[in-house]
Amino acid sequence: MPTVSAVEFQRKFGRFQNEARREPVEITRHGRREFVLMSAEQYDWLRASTRRGHRTDDAAEVVIDAVERARMDVEHSPPLR
């Protein structure tokens, strides 16, 4: 994702507006991430994807069984105290 300072963004708004049609543009202020500019289509897709989640109560039995049998790799386990 391209990154631009807020000052540069203000100076070249049209350029970054066109760029945001292709991919999100990260805007920083004082070196910290502040905003992300994206197309309305990308934003709509992102919003819709958050609503596509499913409740675990609604999961199919095969999914529940797979989760119950799943084991974490030792490298990801918490350290023993």
Side-chain angles (χ1 to χ4, degrees):
M1 170 179 353
T3 300
V4 61
S5 72
V7 171
E8 182 77 7
F9 178 75
Q10 288 175 326
R11 282 192 211 132
K12 298 178 181 178
F13 176 75
R15 173 183 164 205
F16 293 111
Q17 186 179 23
N18 289 333
E19 205 165 312
R21 285 189 176 102
R22 292 186 302 278
E23 64 179 322
V25 176
E26 186 176 73
I27 304 164
T28 63
R29 188 169 181 197
H30 303 293
R32 291 186 302 269
R33 184 175 180 218
E34 188 87 6
F35 299 100
V36 175
L37 178 68
M38 65 179 67
S39 70
E41 182 180 336
Q42 291 169 330
Y43 177 76
D44 291 343
W45 181 90
L46 188 62
R47 293 278 304 192
S49 72
T50 64
R51 291 188 291 267
R52 285 192 290 259
H54 302 283
R55 294 173 40 94
T56 54
D57 294 346
D58 300 333
E61 194 64 36
V62 66
V63 173
I64 294 170
D65 290 342
V67 169
E68 287 175 345
R69 287 192 316 271
R71 297 291 174 254
M72 186 178 347
D73 288 342
V74 176
E75 66 186 67
H76 301 295
S77 297
L80 298 174
R81 294 181 190 225

